Structure formats: structure tokens, C-alpha cells
């Protein structure tokens, strides 16, 4: 053990682990996990289970039910029955349930943060300070809208049973984004969590039980995309599909539901520009870049993954950035002093490695810190590409990992042209000490959200979507 005096000398970090026990004990008590249908737990019709892994160890974490199309049918039937009562329940009464959910999320926040870290690989720093507090905030906020629905949204009606399909990158937060507005507006839901990260949705089902949410209002069906997802897409009693995930699956959903009368909302990928003018505060910019692309290991749909720097400060900024990258800490996601956790799994890790190789083969220059990643589990170091051409694969394709590509520009017009040189339009970030310049450029960028001198800031009351439609206040769940 180092003495305090020695620690003052070296300024080395010691381990600061959050205890895994609350999560592990909770899993032990519950597994194998069933499906949450009609207010209770049932075994999957298939009789089969799959294991969700801990990406930082590569080891199985929990046994979870392998739902199939029959289970989806049962969940939809329960949601349809529940809709009769729930849609006619006065808004202020529905609000009471949402407030109760929010309070339970806060009460169990430590358990939820630990579970999310273990199941997904993201750091406890983020699950504790961002994911779980925002989950609670979404239920509080939409409880407000349930109360206001009659006076502020007169004549509007809930749609019915909503099928919700979510990704693995912010498992519980994406669940909250989907469930809170839908049930606030009087809909009932069948939700399918992503296969890699089902645990916090199951903990949420338990919260629904605890607060006495009427049976069938929320149903959680875990399982394979094919068996569960595809049945949801074709089910005649599902009025709407709300999806967040990859562009390819989004296209598939659009095709399969075409002509069926189902509504859809699709939140897909991004390759968002992070634009830095030469009058920016460069130290703030460096911290901004860290939050833009190394937040959640870069597995963020609105990650600032394209760094566009004004030419005259590019070398200075890249030097500062490399110095900062050298000091980032990667490792055990449950360690409170770790900056970067694990990639969600071996498949995603292999895809990141593949795209990095493509980047090198297309002539870009790769830079990574000198330190090595843990060898157990799925880790990938923060990575910076320079000498990137705007048309290259890594400048155009979403990598969904801790990989930043940088390019330079000379004039504001060129920054806008480069920024908009993408098939996506999710988010953008603009940095300048000149607010006129920043606002002018922001208005010319094709993105649903533009942050100025900041990045990756979220709140329940600020709509989040692509450039085509920014919707909030539960409107996607009303007709
Ligand atoms: P994914 O599309 O592979 O999976 C998302 C969900 O869809 C999962 O639950 C999956 O099981 C399900 N699914 C897969 N195939 C299906 C099918 N044929 N029918 C029905 N459901 C199916 O994406 P992912 O890898 O889990 O998530 C990463 C992607 O999500 C990234 O591209 C990212 O940009 C995007 N994302 C977008 C937002 C946003 O708000 N726009 C937010 C987070 C993530
Ligand atoms: Mn997992």
C-alpha cells in the first residue's frame, strides 16, 4: 500500500470500485428471468433461455427468457385488454402512476446503475450520473404531460397498443424515452429490449409491479429479434411501432409495415459533425471532444464522430487532444474513476476493428494512446484519425465506437458544406467564442439538434430526433 505522502508524489489513481453485489444478488434471486406479461411473470413458450453477458469479462451474467411469437401474441392481447381501462383513466390519475415509477427509479437508482454497467459495459460514472437520473426525469416530466393532456392537447386520442423496439447502447434510458410518453398519453405497450442488455427493462417490470401499475399497461418480452421483433411488426393489433436502432433494421421495419396502417417512428443512426472555429476556447473543446466521442465508448447515435477543425488551429488542437487521450483511463466499468468502459460485445468490437482497418487501408493516419487495454472482455482504445478525406468510408459510415475522424476547413461556408456532407442528420456541435458565427452556422446545419459550445446534453423537455421532424410532449403517441 502506498502512503498518502507517496500518493501525493505520484498522483496515481487507486481502484475505486462500486460494489457489484447488489446487482449480482438481485440477479441470483430472479433468474432465470421470465417474461413480464399482463402484470405477472411467465415462462417463455419456447422453454428456452439465453444468457446476457458482462462485456467487461465476457462471462455470462444472467439467464433470460427466449420469447417467441406466441409470447408476443399473449403480450399484445394483454395490452389490448388493458387499453380499454388505461385510455379512459383520467390524465391526473395516470400521472400518479408515472410519478410513482419515477420515485421507485430514484429509490433503486444504485441497483439500476450497477445492473446497467454490468450488462452493457458502460461506466458506473455514466449510469449513475446520466442514464438513471434521466430515466427518472423522463417519468416525472411525462407525468406532467399526462396531467396537462386534457387542457393542452384537446381532442387528441391515444393510438392503442404500441410495439416498442430498443437498442443496447442506453438500455434503460431508451426504454424510458419510449414507455414514459406512450403510457402518459393513455397507450399500452409491448416492449422488446435488445438481446445484449435486457436486465434493466426486467428490473423496470418489477417496479411496475411494485407500484401497482394496472396489468397489461406495460409488457416486456425478451428474445431474438427474428421471433419477437418480426411478430411485433406484423401483429394486426399493434397500432404503432416505435423503433430506435440501426438504419438497416429501420428500413426493414418501414418495408414490412408499409400498407398495414401501422404508424411508425424510427430513430436511426448518425455521423454528427463537431465543428471547431479558430477563436474557440481549445481546452473546453478538448473536454467537449471527450464527451462527444468517448462518452459511452462512442456507442452513441448522436456522437460527435467527425471533428472538423479550422485549418490554422488544427495542429495545436490535435496535439492537445492526443495529450488528453493519453490520460484517459479504460477498464472495469464499475470503477468510479474509469473514463472508458467495455464495448457491448465481441460482434460490435469486431465491426469497430474492421472499420478502423478500412480507414488505414484508405490512407488515413491512425493514432492511439501508448497504454494497453485490458485483454479480458471487449475493450477498444480511444482512436483518432487524421488525414481523412471527406469521401472515405470512415468519414461517411457510422462506426459506433470510440473512433474519431478529423478533417480541416478554412471558411464558415466550407465548414457548413463539410458538416452537411452526410446522409444522416441527427445532431451537430459548433464551437466558437463568436456567438453570431456560431448561431449562423448552426442554422445552416442539417441536424435535428445543434449544440453550441457544448455537446451530448439531453433533457426530457427538449425533443430529440433527426432533421425531418423533432417531436416532443408525447405527440408521437397521439392522433
Ligand atoms: P439494431 O437495429 O441491430 O437493433 C435495435 C433493436 O431492433 C434491437 O432490439 C434488435 O433486436 C431489434 N431488431 C433487429 N432486427 C429486427 C427485425 N428484423 N425486426 C424487428 N426488430 C429487430 O441496432 P443496435 O445495434 O441495437 O443499436 C445501434 C444503433 O442504434 C446505431 O445505429 C445507433 O445509431 C442507433 N441508435 C439511434 C438512436 C436515436 O435516437 N436515433 C439512439 C440510440 C441508438
Ligand atoms: Mn449484457
Amino acid at each position: 500500500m502506498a502512503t498518502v505522502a507517496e500518493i501525493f508524489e505520484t498522483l496515481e489513481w487507486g481502484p475505486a470500485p462500486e460494489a457489484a453485489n447488489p446487482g449480482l444478488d438481485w440477479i441470483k434471486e430472479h433468474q432465470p428471468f421470465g417474461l413480464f406479461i399482463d402484470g405477472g411473470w411467465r415462462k417463455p413458450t419456447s422453454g428456452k433461455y439465453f444468457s446476457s453477458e458482462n462485456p467487461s469479462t465476457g462471462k455470462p451474467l444472467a439467464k433470460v427468457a427466449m420469447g417467441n411469437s406466441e409470447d408476443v401474441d399473449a403480450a399484445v392481447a394483454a395490452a389490448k385488454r388493458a387499453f380499454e381501462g388505461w385510455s379512459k383513466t383520467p390524465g391526473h390519475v395516470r400521472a400518479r402512476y408515472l410519478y410513482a415509477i419515477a420515485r421507485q427509479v430514484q429509490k433503486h437508482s444504485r441497483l439500476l446503475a450497477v445492473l446497467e454497467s454490468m450488462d452493457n459495459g458502460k461506466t458506473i460514472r455514466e449510469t449513475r450520473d446520466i442514464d438513471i437520473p434521466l430515466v427518472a426525469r423522463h417519468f416525472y416530466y411525462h407525468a406532467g404531460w399526462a396531467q396537462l393532456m386534457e387542457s393542452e392537447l384537446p381532442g387528441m386520442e391515444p393510438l392503442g397498443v404500441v410495439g416498442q423496439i430498443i437498442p443496447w447502447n442506453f438500455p434503460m434510458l431508451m426504454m424510458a424515452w419510449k414507455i414514459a410518453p406512450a403510457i402518459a398519453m393513455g397507450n399500452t405497450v409491448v416492449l422488446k429490449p435488445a438481446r445484449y442488455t435486457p436486465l434493466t427493462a426486467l428490473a423496470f417490470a418489477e417496479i411496475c409491479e411494485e407500484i401497482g401499475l394496472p396489468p397489461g399497461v406495460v409488457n416486456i418480452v425478451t428474445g431474438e429479434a427474428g421471433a419477437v421483433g418480426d411478430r411485433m411488426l406484423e401483429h394486426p393489433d399493434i397500432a404503432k411501432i416505435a423503433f430506435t436502432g440501426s438504419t438497416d433494421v429501420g428500413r426493414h421495419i418501414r418495408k414490412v409495415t408499409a400498407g398495414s396502417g401501422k404508424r411508425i417512428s424510427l430513430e436511426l443512426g448518425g455521423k454528427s459533425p463537431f465543428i471547431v472555429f479558430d477563436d474557440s476556447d481549445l481546452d473546453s473543446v478538448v473536454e467537449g471532444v471527450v464527451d462527444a466521442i468517448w462518452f459511452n465508448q462512442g456507442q452513441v447515435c448522436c456522437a460527435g464522430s467527425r471533428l472538423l477543425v479550422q485549418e490554422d488551429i488544427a495542429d495545436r488542437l490535435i496535439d492537445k487532444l492526443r495529450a488528453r487521450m493519453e490520460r484517459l483511463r479504460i477498464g472495469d466499468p464499475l470503477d468510479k474513476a474509469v473514463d472508458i468502459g467495455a464495448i457491448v460485445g465481441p460482434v460490435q468490437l469486431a465491426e469497430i476493428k474492421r472499420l478502423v482497418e478500412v480507414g488505414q487501408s484508405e490512407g488515413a493516419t491512425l493514432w492511439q494512446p501508448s497504454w494497453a487495454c485490458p485483454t479480458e472482455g471487449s475493450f477498444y482504445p480511444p482512436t483518432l484519425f487524421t488525414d481523412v478525406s471527406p469521401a472515405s468510408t470512415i468519414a461517411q459510415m457510422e462506426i459506433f465506437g470510440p473512433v474519431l475522424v478529423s478533417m480541416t476547413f478554412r471558411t464558415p461556408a466550407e465548414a457548413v458544406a463539410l458538416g452537411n456532407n452526410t446522409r444522416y442528420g441527427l445532431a451537430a456541435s459548433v464551437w466558437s467564442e463568436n456567438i453570431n458565427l456560431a448561431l449562423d452556422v448552426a442554422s445552416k446545419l442539417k441536424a435535428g439538434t445543434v449544440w453550441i459550445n457544448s455537446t451530448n446534453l439531453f433533457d426530457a423537455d427538449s425533443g430529440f430526433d433527426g432533421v425531418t421532424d423533432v417531436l416532443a410532449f408525447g405527440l408521437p403517441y397521439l392522433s
Side-chain angles (χ1 to χ4, degrees), residues 338-399:
V338 152
D339 299 306
I340 302 182
I343 302 297
V344 75
V347 174
Q348 182 66 13
L349 181 62
E351 179 62 4
I352 295 168
K353 287 182 176 164
R354 184 184 75 78
L355 284 164
V356 166
E357 275 167 27
V358 171
Q360 286 176 291
S361 71
E362 287 181 357
T365 305
L366 170 129
W367 192 88
Q368 291 173 335
S370 64
W371 42 262
C373 285
T375 46
E376 215 191 33
S378 299
F379 288 92
Y380 197 81
T383 299
L384 171 67
F385 273 111
T386 48
D387 307 314
V388 177
S389 99
S392 64
T393 308
I394 55 169
Q396 291 296 329
M397 271 200 61
E398 182 183 44
I399 299 176

Side-chain angles (χ1 to χ4, degrees), residues 29 70 78 102 123 159 162 164 200 202 231 240 291 313 319 326 338 341 358 366 378-379 383 400 442 450 463 467:
E29 276 165 34
E70 281 175 61
T123 62
L159 301 172
V162 181
Q164 305 187 315
T200 43
L202 296 167
R231 179 61 184 153
K240 167 174 178 143
D291 286 338
I313 53 153
D319 282 349
E326 191 64 35
V338 152
V358 171
L366 170 129
S378 299
F379 288 92
T383 299
F400 225 59
V450 183
V467 65

